[in-house]
Amino acid sequence: MAKLIATAGNKGGTGKSTLAHLIGHGCGSLPHPIDAVVITTDDEDEPISGQRRYLPLDGRDLSLLPPMLQKLDEQERLLIILDGAAARPELDKLVQSVADLVVLPYGASIQEAQRVLKDLERLPGAVALPNRWPTHPDVQKRAKRFLEMVPADRRLPPISALSRVDELLDATAYSRVATPLSRRAQQLVIEVLHRMKVHPLDMAAKN
């Protein structure tokens, strides 16, 4: 059976889409690549196209999403990454029932930390992911309290603001950023698989 990771959360603009595609890109960038699909669910987004190290799929029609997931789930050694849309309760309900891991990105602010805590309450198996985290020492020191608001066992290591990461969503720019973003993308895949207690080699595509 496949494994399914969903990026979710009620707030828009936290980086769900870029992180979903970063995970997918990381899967295809590992020394032993993992077959991965990234499913777009936000009906305001255009489906991603172009040749990539993973397969983008269109899941914006929620009536078609369950049978799509059921078919994909039959494949061994496949990682399904569901790019969740904000403020869609019907999608949240589906995510809770099928995801092996729900990842909730949040930024370095009191409002986003409080919101992610509420999301963690309603999604008991989810983990928070501090995203676009500051790297300047002074700013990082001030942001430390937003990390500490979330219990350590309910969050992944912070991911810093990555230059040009949004270009992963651009069909014409993907080839230019694929290599520069590979290392951090690989690290993120390993982190989420570790949280799921899955070894990357157990997911690696068969030769």
Side-chain angles (χ1 to χ4, degrees):
M1 294 175 64
K3 295 291 184 182
L4 192 149
I5 296 170
T7 58
N10 278 329
K11 188 177 185 303
T14 57
K16 291 185 289 291
S17 295
T18 52
L19 288 173
H21 287 271
L22 191 64
I23 294 170
H25 178 62
C27 287
S29 303
L30 289 167
H32 299 280
I34 296 171
D35 289 336
V37 298
V38 177
I39 304 175
T40 297
T41 63
D42 193 329
D43 53 13
E44 294 186 2
D45 289 342
E46 290 297 319
I48 303 295
S49 62
Q51 188 173 2
R52 294 170 178 263
R53 300 177 188 178
Y54 60 95
L55 178 64
L57 294 176
D58 185 355
R60 295 174 298 169
D61 186 339
L62 295 190
S63 67
L64 301 178
L65 187 56
M68 177 193 295
L69 292 175
Q70 185 175 13
K71 186 174 182 180
L72 291 170
D73 189 49
E74 297 171 358
Q75 301 185 42
E76 293 185 14
R77 298 172 182 252
L78 176 69
L79 188 63
I80 304 165
I81 302 112
L82 193 63
D83 173 15
R88 295 187 78 177
E90 69 275 30
L91 180 60
D92 282 352
K93 186 176 180 180
L94 175 63
V95 163
Q96 291 181 61
S97 66
V98 301
D100 295 288
L101 181 67
V102 178
V103 178
L104 304 167
Y106 77 104
S109 74
I110 186 66
Q111 294 87 356
E112 293 202 26
Q114 290 172 338
R115 191 182 293 264
V116 82
L117 285 171
K118 291 180 181 178
D119 286 337
L120 288 170
E121 284 183 13
R122 67 185 181 85
L123 298 168
V127 293
L129 175 55
N131 187 34
R132 301 169 184 152
W133 218 249
T135 55
H136 188 280
D138 290 340
V139 182
Q140 199 172 55
K141 185 176 180 180
R142 291 195 297 271
K144 184 180 179 181
R145 68 187 183 103
F146 305 128
L147 280 181
E148 295 175 344
M149 286 177 66
V150 179
D153 64 340
R154 298 296 305 277
R155 58 175 157 83
L156 294 169
I159 184 167
S160 61
L162 298 174
S163 176
R164 302 175 66 187
V165 69
D166 290 343
E167 294 184 46
L168 281 177
L169 309 182
D170 186 334
T172 60
Y174 177 80
S175 61
R176 296 194 296 271
V177 298
T179 298
L181 291 173
S182 290
R183 179 170 295 183
R184 189 62 187 95
Q186 291 173 39
Q187 292 172 347
L188 180 56
V189 171
I190 291 169
E191 287 163 5
V192 295
L193 290 178
H194 176 73
R195 179 59 62 132
M196 296 164 62
K197 296 181 170 55
V198 175
H199 195 284
L201 290 179
D202 293 336
M203 292 292 294
K206 294 180 179 179
N207 294 329

